[in-house]
């Protein structure tokens, strides 16, 4: 892709259930980047993180890319693409190899990682990430960078992430139809973690819960590395649909009502707080209490947080996250979400 002032450019593409976002960044100071372009466009081409309408998704990608190109003043030819959905699978694995020449070299690290990822993956899944968690040399644990260390036996603990081959191919097809090359697919909660988590939180132990439009993504970090990933097929769009059904109003109006008046804890509202709700099919708008809206939101958010808690309990890591839980994602911004999650 072209560059600005000969600096290296990076482009990230987040193809979400409710919108597509393209971000253009250029390298600034050491280990720093500067956002120089941003493009976003609404999309209805995905459901629960999976493409269900190629034309709609392609159109949204193209419009967000054009907007980002216009702001950044460059031509985009390739990008890194975020991927999520209930088809994502995460599991931990280990590998062991002898160390040649009594000193760990790149070849030894490559061999132990290759051994750790040598697991049977279903034919309909593809390996997305091999994320090193920890290295052990001659029973000495807690090694993050083994290169150059002396020893005779090298072990690696890794977190493997797989995704549906068909789901990734459909996303690739949409991106390619816009004239873009896919540099790599990146797990959404892994990408989010670099934006919202501090190194201290990751080192101490923290759980990230990213509530998007179609899915709620979970990632647990221990000792600086990702140790658990999961995806819940419930998120902000399900809240919007609940509002549309309960208040008998169009989904577009329900989304606006959620953003303007939504509250995830009914006790934080009062019956005296009123709002106007547009009717369906030309019917006149009605006056309803904000508390009745909060009742609808609270039920769904309780379900989302309960499922997240259940997945965390099953992982066995709930007691290993002293840094707590970090909420992110558009649907986490609703009033009362933090209070309900704590409860």
């Amino acid at each position: 892709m072209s560059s600005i002032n000969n600096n290296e450019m990076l482009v990230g593409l987040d193809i979400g259930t409710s919108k597509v976002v393209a971000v253009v960044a250029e390298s600034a100071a050491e280990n720093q980047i500067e956002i120089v372009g941003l493009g976003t466009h609404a999309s209805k081409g995905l459901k629960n993180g999976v493409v269900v309408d190629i034309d709609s998704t392609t159109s949204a990608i193209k419009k967000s890319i054009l907007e980002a190109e216009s702001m950044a003043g460059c031509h985009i030819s390739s990008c890194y693409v975020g991927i999520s959905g209930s088809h994502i699978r995460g599991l931990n694995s280990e590998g062991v190899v002898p160390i040649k020449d009594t000193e760990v070299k790149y070849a030894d690290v490559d061999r132990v990682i290759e051994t750790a990822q040598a697991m049977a993956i279903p034919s309909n899944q593809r390996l997305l990430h091999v994320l090193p968690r920890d290295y052990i040399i001659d029973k000495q644990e807690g090694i993050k960078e083994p290169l150059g260390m002396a020893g005779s036996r090298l072990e690696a603990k890794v977190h493997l992430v797989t995704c549906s081959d068909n789901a990734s191919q459909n996303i690739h097809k949409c991106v390619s139809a816009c004239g873009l090359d896919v540099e790599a697919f990146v797990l959404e909660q892994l990408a989010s973690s670099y934006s919202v988590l501090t190194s201290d939180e990751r080192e101490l132990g923290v759980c990230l819960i990213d509530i998007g439009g179609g899915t709620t993504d979970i990632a647990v970090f221990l000792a600086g590395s990702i140790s658990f990933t999961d995806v819940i097929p419930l998120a902000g769009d399900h809240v919007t649909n609940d509002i549309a059904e309960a208040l008998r109003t169009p989904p577009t109006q329900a989304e606006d009502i959620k953003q303007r008046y939504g509250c995830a804890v009914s006790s934080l509202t009062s019956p005296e707080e009123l709002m106007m709700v547009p009717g369906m099919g030309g019917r006149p708008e009605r006056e309803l209490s904000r508390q009745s809206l909060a009742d609808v939101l609270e039920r769904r958010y309780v379900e989302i947080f309960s499922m997240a808690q259940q997945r965390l309990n099953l992982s066995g890591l709930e007691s290993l996250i002293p840094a707590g839980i970090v909420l992110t994602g558009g649907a986490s911004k609703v009033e009362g979400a933090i209070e309900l999650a704590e409860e």
Side-chain angles (χ1 to χ4, degrees):
M1 79 192 70
S2 63
S3 62
I4 298 178
N5 299 328
N6 296 320
N7 286 345
E8 183 182 359
M9 303 285 292
L10 294 171
V11 178
L13 188 63
D14 182 358
I15 307 175
T17 302
S18 57
K19 67 179 182 296
V20 175
V21 179
V23 178
V24 183
E26 66 173 330
S27 57
E30 185 178 354
N31 296 325
Q32 298 291 322
I33 61 172
E34 180 181 353
I35 304 298
V36 295
L38 178 67
T40 180
H41 195 273
S43 173
K44 296 299 180 184
L46 275 77
K47 184 175 182 180
N48 295 342
V50 177
V51 175
V52 294
D53 187 332
I54 286 182
D55 290 341
S56 176
T57 304
T58 301
S59 175
I61 293 172
K62 191 172 296 182
K63 289 174 180 176
S64 64
I65 288 291
L66 287 173
E67 186 177 337
E69 285 180 331
S70 177
M71 182 180 294
C74 70
H75 172 68
I76 297 173
S77 60
S78 62
C79 58
Y80 290 87
V81 181
I83 188 169
S84 182
S86 54
H87 58 91
I88 297 291
R89 299 287 183 270
L91 66 155
N92 294 326
S93 179
E94 299 179 8
V96 182
V97 297
I99 300 172
K100 295 182 178 179
D101 302 326
T102 69
E103 182 180 305
V104 179
K105 295 182 173 60
Y106 284 106
D108 298 308
V109 176
D110 290 342
R111 283 190 300 115
V112 76
I113 292 296
E114 186 175 341
T115 302
Q117 69 184 57
M119 295 186 65
I121 297 175
S123 59
N124 62 343
Q125 293 280 111
R126 57 165 285 191
L127 188 62
L128 182 63
H129 292 303
V130 181
L131 305 170
R133 300 167 51 217
D134 196 14
Y135 292 97
I136 303 172
I137 297 178
D138 296 343
K139 297 185 179 181
Q140 180 184 344
E141 301 184 1
I143 299 172
K144 295 301 179 182
E145 182 48 76
L147 286 173
M149 297 188 69
S152 60
R153 185 173 186 267
L154 176 64
E155 299 178 55
K157 296 181 179 181
V158 302
H159 185 69
L160 304 178
V161 180
T162 67
C163 66
S164 165
D165 195 33
N166 291 335
S168 62
Q169 285 185 24
N170 286 331
I171 294 176
H172 197 293
K173 184 180 295 184
C174 294
V175 175
S176 297
C178 298
L180 301 172
D181 294 328
V182 176
E183 295 280 358
F185 286 107
V186 181
L187 181 67
E188 287 282 5
Q189 52 262 58
L190 181 62
S192 297
S193 71
Y194 287 105
S195 298
V196 302
L197 299 180
T198 66
S199 58
D200 288 340
E201 287 174 326
R202 288 195 294 268
E203 191 65 34
L204 188 60
V206 66
C207 175
L208 174 71
I209 299 181
D210 186 344
I211 312 176
T215 62
T216 296
D217 303 330
I218 303 172
V220 175
F221 291 80
L222 301 175
S225 304
I226 194 166
S227 298
F228 174 77
T229 54
D230 207 340
V231 178
I232 298 172
L234 292 176
D237 284 357
H238 298 83
V239 178
T240 301
N241 292 336
D242 290 345
I243 295 171
E245 292 179 8
L247 305 188
R248 299 189 302 279
T249 193
T252 53
Q253 299 293 339
E255 178 66 24
D256 181 61
I257 290 171
K258 181 181 73 176
Q259 295 183 14
R260 293 177 62 188
Y261 305 108
C263 181
V265 181
S266 60
S267 61
L268 296 180
T269 63
S270 69
E272 287 73 32
E273 293 182 84
L274 301 177
M275 60 183 186
M276 299 305 296
V277 179
M280 293 276 283
R283 297 184 181 90
E285 60 180 9
R286 311 181 314 282
E287 190 176 66
L288 291 176
S289 72
R290 186 170 176 240
Q291 193 170 71
S292 62
L293 172 66
D295 288 336
V296 176
L297 269 72
E298 184 170 358
R299 284 193 294 270
R300 181 62 79 176
Y301 273 95
V302 164
E303 182 180 14
I304 292 172
F305 290 134
S306 295
M307 290 184 69
Q309 184 182 38
Q310 182 183 38
R311 302 291 176 90
L312 194 56
N313 287 340
L314 290 174
S315 74
L317 302 176
E318 186 178 23
S319 62
L320 302 177
I321 50 172
I325 294 174
V326 175
L327 295 182
T328 187
S332 71
K333 305 302 181 184
V334 68
E335 181 186 345
I338 293 176
E339 290 82 355
L340 184 63
E342 289 177 344
E343 182 182 335

